[in-house]
Amino acid sequence: MIALASLVLHAALMMTSAPLLAGLRALARARLLGRAGPSLIQPWRDLARLVRKHPVLPDTASWLFTCVPFVCLAAAIVAALLVPSFALGMLTAPLSDLVVLAGLLALARYALALAGYDTGTGLGGMGATRITLVAVWGEPAVLLIILVLASLAGSSNLDAIGTTLSEQPQGVLWFAAGVALAIVGFMLTGPGRDAAQLTLVHEAAMFDYSGRYLAMVAYAGQLGILVWLSLLAALFIPSGMASGGAGLMAWALGIVAWGLKVGALGVCLAVLEALAAGPGITRVPMVLGMTALLMWLAAVFVLASQRLA
Amino acid sequence: MATWAECAIGTILALLALGGGVTGSILVLLGPLGGLHLALDPVSALFLLVVCGTGAAAALECELPLLPVAVGALVVTLLAADGFILVLAFALASIALAPEWRGRSGLRFMAGGLLCLAAAVALLAPRNSGIDLRFAAMRSAAPEGLRAAAVLLLVLIGTGLHLISPSRPSPGGALLSGGKIAVAIYILVRVLFDLCGPAAPSWWGLPLLVIGAGTMVLAGLRANAADDLLAALGASRIGAVGLIAVGLGVAMTARGSDLASLSALTLAGALLHGVSYAVFDVLLVLCTGAVSRGAGSAVLSQLGGLIRSMPAVGMGALVGAACLAGLPLTAGFPGRWLVLQSLLAEPHPSRLWWHVVLALALAAVAFGSALQAAAAVRLVGIGFLGRPRTPQAAAAEDAPRPVRLMIAALAGSCMLIGLSPSALLALVQPALAQLLGVRLDGGRLLVIAAQADAPGYAALGIAAMLALAGGVVAWTLRQFANPAASRVPAWDGGMDAAPVGLLFGASATQYSAASAGLTVLQSFGYPAWRSNMQRWLKVSTALLQRRGAAGLGGALLLVLLGLLLWAVA
């Protein structure tokens, strides 16, 4: 019962905060550039407006085009339910395997690429090929990060890793894995529709969406960023998280801690976006390849230190 | 038809062996060496399922006159219980399946592969009294040292040569080459896990692991560069064999280090991936056949927009491509997940070289899988989505009803395997028990996991959550959203509507087959690397031809014959 209650609370929290996080990042970015910036709930207003609009569909698109937003959003919602936010030991804890999580996000990514191909336009194809480029270099890096984390914790289940990492103090390899996850997650989730873009990856593939379909795909993108930041917070800044079976006070503390952590990470993201030019699409293979190499070295160290001891 | 009868008998035998535990052996009292021994055990039964399914689909696809002979010979290879009938039946099948002798490369690969396998089998035979090629005799006299290393090398080279031997350039040829590949993997598993005895050294897994990982990356690159559907599917097939080889390598090393549960996990993953790959490979090849008949060609740059004109085939290709990409809840995921778990799990043999190679193999497996997924997206995106690139593709006709039913049945079974992998795992467990002596104790009803009480991959749970999420989204939109939608001409970068003469639009303003793969390939440096490689290969073949390939081949033949004689004498 407690697990179910924590899951319901977690679902409500994630669903409502995803656009709020996007709003926070937009506000922080504007303030850093000297502007007043939009309101914090502006993304929610945008989603409500989009849902009321009359969408137009390209005449070259097939039934797949209207199904893909549902697939993307469903995959993003399930990913959000699998990643813990303020408490471990939710009802979905036995299901949340890191490899399955990576697969679900890959499902959303490739579905969007297929939607790009489906429009039959050059821009859609460009978005699709760029999505596959980022995926081809990002997924090995993700798997190597999972290898390091799973070797440190003994299982690839997210709850088990979270419990182990919060109980024992970890060293430099765990920090390296955190940095790697930050970089890789940034590349894979994409900064979203609001930020100034130097690389047209997701935007090109979802270019032809409008109305409720655009609302679904944009919301899925916002949920993706929240999932990534929650994963970082749960695995690498575990202080304040309630363990499984704790009471309401621990939950309240966990929610406050999670809000502070994700907010701080979002503001860091906004600082990076406002002050530094993001890597262009031609740099993506190099950045992700070096991350994969770093993680391969870390994996060798972890395996060697554990098994030879 | 004879092939259908053979496949039906084979499937019944296989299901009896796997489900009911019926095993047995018979002795057919004709032929040399005191009769031909045939036996049915769970490992043979598992591969029999694959071969019979592939053979039945091939009977649907192509009208090869020697097809019943080929399928029958493959079945006899799987049921063989002595080395002589194994090699003889496989040779018969290879000859019956050989392509029209364009060039002599097919003959060279086939002959080389058969000779290596024959030498390996001859080396395995015990030396005591005369020539005894029965498997039971081989098991009792396991090879050691140099003889074992020679067996390993020969069986690896033989299987490899069979894998890269060319097949007929048609859907039926692709299916039959898939069946032959399955039998080649069976021979590898039989020789390395069964006939070489339980005390194989642990370094044996290393060449399998390295070759498998490299094959996955190369095959993924090749699949992204393929011009037509059959070439892409062939490259993906080689990539799947690479993943199976990685699984077999880790299982061998784990067995050599007495880590029974790890070896069971990995071998289960490899075999599960092999069987499930066969299902969606047949699905995709049948879709390719339907496309080449309905749209006139299987070349990717001449297709497009087929999901509208061929909806049934398009749906089947979509499901098959999702399985190829290894997405969760499809048939391509459980085997991959199990092999990844074995690479991530502990305990592992505690040697530093193993850790280095293991981490590198994991990186290569990850790259190979990601490249495979990119190739699958390209396959569906260029071939089936978008706008038609030729008038034939614009006017494509859907497949006839029996083919559509077959495609729908195969797509349904792919989704079933994806949603409940435990069912297929239950079929694989008897083979595990026979080869390793243990079963995978993490194979429960709704979840497959690495250990008995560990959390794992719960396909039905994830599917239920996805359905729930989709339902909630649909309900919310129904309540709050504007239900309308209208169709307008696609924006396409500001281009106007197509002129009157171009009936299906300016189709060149979308990505083509070459450009779709180029983004990924260029980031690996593949085009430059490939042209360098081809230049190097041309130089080396020219060198071979000048020296006389006959001379080199003759020398190789003499060496192998000498090996055979030394082994037998």
Side-chain angles (χ1 to χ4, degrees):
Chain A
M1 257 340 270
I2 298 180
L4 182 62
S6 71
L7 180 67
V8 170
L9 189 57
H10 165 79
L13 205 61
M14 292 289 254
M15 307 279 207
T16 49
S17 340
L20 290 180
L21 177 68
L24 178 67
R25 280 171 49 221
L27 185 59
R29 209 165 34 238
R31 288 291 166 89
L32 282 167
L33 295 173
R35 296 185 272 121
S39 137
L40 201 65
I41 55 170
Q42 187 57 35
W44 268 119
R45 290 197 193 122
D46 285 337
L47 285 175
R49 174 179 53 92
L50 280 172
V51 151
R52 281 196 305 266
K53 291 182 95 162
H54 182 121
V56 289
L57 302 167
D59 58 351
T60 47
S62 64
W63 58 265
L64 192 72
F65 195 69
T66 51
C67 284
V68 159
F70 287 95
V71 171
C72 277
L73 189 52
I77 291 175
V78 173
L81 290 179
L82 291 180
V83 172
S85 62
F86 62 92
L88 292 169
M90 297 188 299
L91 196 65
T92 51
L95 298 175
S96 65
D97 187 73
L98 267 179
V99 180
V100 176
L101 185 71
L104 278 173
L105 294 172
L107 173 65
R109 214 176 295 135
Y110 291 131
L112 198 60
L114 283 182
Y117 276 122
D118 197 28
T119 58
T121 60
L123 194 64
M126 182 171 87
T129 49
R130 285 182 171 192
I131 286 177
T132 46
L133 174 69
V134 174
V136 159
W137 284 92
E139 282 173 14
V142 166
L143 269 175
L144 282 170
I145 294 172
I146 296 177
L147 171 64
V148 172
L149 293 174
S151 308
L152 283 172
S155 155
S156 68
N157 183 274
L158 199 50
D159 247 42
I161 295 178
T163 320
T164 313
L165 290 185
S166 62
E167 282 167 4
Q168 310 159 9
Q170 304 293 330
V172 70
L173 292 171
W174 165 76
F175 180 68
V179 169
L181 184 61
I183 297 174
V184 172
F186 180 74
M187 296 287 177
L188 283 179
T189 56
R193 205 164 177 266
D194 323 311
Q197 286 306 299
L198 291 174
T199 66
L200 279 177
V201 178
H202 299 96
E203 295 68 30
M206 63 194 225
F207 189 78
D208 283 287
Y209 280 121
S210 54
R212 57 183 183 272
Y213 304 111
L214 181 59
M216 279 193 268
V217 178
Y219 187 51
Q222 290 161 356
L223 263 179
I225 296 177
L226 184 61
V227 161
W228 162 53
L229 290 181
S230 288
L231 196 62
L232 268 179
L235 290 179
F236 301 101
I237 324 171
S239 50
M241 259 176 77
S243 52
L248 275 173
M249 274 307 293
W251 283 8
L253 184 65
I255 293 177
V256 167
W258 175 77
L260 285 175
K261 281 185 260 180
V262 170
L265 284 172
V267 168
C268 288
L269 201 56
V271 166
L272 277 173
E273 284 170 355
L275 301 183
I281 192 72
T282 47
R283 293 253 198 266
V284 162
M286 186 188 74
V287 171
L288 289 175
M290 292 209 320
T291 314
L293 190 62
L294 171 72
M295 279 298 103
W296 174 73
L297 283 173
V300 174
F301 275 124
V302 166
L303 290 171
S305 67
Q306 282 196 334
R307 295 340 161 11
L308 289 182
Chain B
M1 292 157 52
T3 324
W4 285 99
E6 279 170 356
C7 294
I9 294 175
T11 318
I12 293 173
L13 277 177
L15 287 173
L16 276 177
L18 289 172
V22 170
T23 59
S25 59
I26 62 170
L27 178 59
V28 176
L29 282 170
L30 53 96
L33 302 179
L36 312 169
H37 304 256
L38 299 175
L40 179 68
D41 51 13
V43 178
S44 310
L46 194 65
F47 285 90
L48 201 59
L49 272 180
V50 170
V51 165
C52 290
T54 319
L60 196 71
E61 262 299 315
C62 76
E63 297 83 25
L64 183 60
L66 287 176
L67 184 63
V69 174
V71 173
L74 284 177
V75 167
V76 170
T77 316
L78 290 174
L79 293 177
D82 73 26
F84 180 70
I85 185 69
L86 182 84
V87 176
L88 185 68
F90 199 41
L92 191 62
S94 303
I95 293 172
L97 291 177
E100 301 84 18
W101 307 105
R102 44 187 178 87
R104 281 196 291 269
S105 62
L107 179 59
R108 269 198 289 244
F109 283 126
M110 198 188 75
L114 283 171
L115 217 51
C116 287
L117 284 175
V121 161
L123 274 176
L124 276 172
R127 317 278 215 86
N128 35 23
S129 53
I131 311 168
D132 189 2
L133 288 169
R134 287 176 302 130
F135 283 177
M138 286 183 190
R139 275 187 209 113
S140 58
E144 292 166 14
L146 198 60
R147 196 158 73 107
V151 166
L152 174 70
L153 187 67
L154 284 170
V155 90
L156 280 179
I157 295 178
T159 320
L161 285 175
H162 274 288
L163 282 176
I164 60 179
S165 64
S167 60
R168 291 166 181 268
S170 70
L175 284 172
L176 292 168
S177 98
K180 203 160 74 105
I181 287 175
V183 174
I185 297 176
Y186 161 78
I187 295 179
L188 190 71
V189 168
R190 174 69 76 179
V191 168
L192 290 181
F193 279 88
D194 195 19
L195 297 178
C196 285
S202 60
W203 62 264
W204 274 27
L206 191 62
L208 270 174
L209 189 66
V210 169
I211 294 174
T215 310
M216 278 193 84
V217 176
L218 291 176
L221 287 172
R222 186 77 185 80
N224 270 302
D227 293 323
D228 67 315
L229 288 170
L230 278 181
L233 289 178
S236 309
R237 207 171 293 133
I238 304 290
V241 171
L243 184 66
I244 296 174
V246 164
L248 290 179
V250 177
M252 284 233 75
T253 309
R255 198 171 73 139
S257 313
D258 283 327
L259 296 166
S261 59
L262 179 64
S263 61
L265 178 68
T266 328
L267 194 59
L271 291 176
L272 191 69
H273 188 74
V275 177
S276 46
Y277 191 87
V279 178
F280 59 83
D281 192 38
V282 169
L283 169 67
L284 282 169
V285 173
L286 282 181
C287 290
T288 308
V291 162
S292 62
R293 279 187 296 267
S297 152
V299 177
L300 276 172
S301 52
Q302 294 172 5
L303 300 174
L306 293 178
I307 201 166
R308 275 186 299 276
S309 41
M310 307 174 76
V313 175
M315 194 68 210
L318 203 61
V319 170
C323 297
L324 259 187
L327 297 176
L329 306 182
T330 59
F333 192 71
R336 224 179 278 264
W337 187 86
L338 281 174
V339 172
L340 277 174
Q341 283 301 303
S342 72
L343 293 175
L344 299 171
E346 55 171 332
H348 259 282
S350 57
R351 294 179 192 87
L352 188 60
W353 58 261
W354 178 248
H355 300 318
V356 173
V357 171
L358 193 68
L360 206 58
L362 181 71
V365 165
F367 269 109
S369 307
L371 283 167
Q372 187 72 267
V377 168
R378 171 180 175 260
L379 209 85
V380 173
I382 300 291
F384 288 86
L385 304 177
R387 285 177 285 144
R389 292 174 178 81
T390 55
Q392 290 89 348
E397 289 176 353
D398 209 350
R401 197 183 183 85
V403 180
R404 268 186 288 158
L405 283 177
M406 185 83 166
I407 288 178
L410 281 170
S413 37
C414 283
M415 295 314 295
L416 269 179
I417 295 176
L419 287 175
S420 61
S422 327
L424 204 57
L425 195 60
L427 281 182
V428 169
Q429 300 269 32
L432 285 183
Q434 184 206 348
L435 288 175
L436 299 172
V438 292
R439 291 173 173 247
L440 177 64
D441 50 354
R444 307 193 288 276
L445 185 59
L446 293 173
V447 182
I448 54 174
Q451 283 110 27
D453 51 356
Y457 169 51
L460 274 175
I462 304 272
M465 281 171 66
L466 268 178
L468 189 66
V472 166
V473 167
W475 180 85
T476 315
L477 286 181
R478 203 186 179 85
Q479 299 299 312
F480 298 109
N482 189 339
S486 46
R487 294 263 169 181
V488 296
W491 183 69
D492 199 10
M495 306 233 172
D496 289 333
V500 172
L502 285 173
L503 294 166
F504 43 94
S507 64
T509 60
Q510 57 180 344
Y511 267 61
S512 67
S515 51
L518 204 61
T519 320
V520 168
L521 291 176
Q522 267 179 346
S523 66
F524 280 89
Y526 183 72
W529 174 80
R530 189 151 177 245
S531 62
N532 285 339
M533 190 76 167
Q534 277 174 343
R535 219 178 317 143
W536 181 82
L537 275 175
K538 263 196 229 123
V539 164
S540 59
T541 0
L543 205 68
L544 268 177
Q545 275 169 358
R546 235 176 302 139
R547 295 285 157 173
L552 195 65
L556 199 67
L557 259 165
L558 278 175
V559 164
L560 281 173
L561 275 172
L563 210 62
L564 254 167
L565 286 171
W566 168 70
V568 163

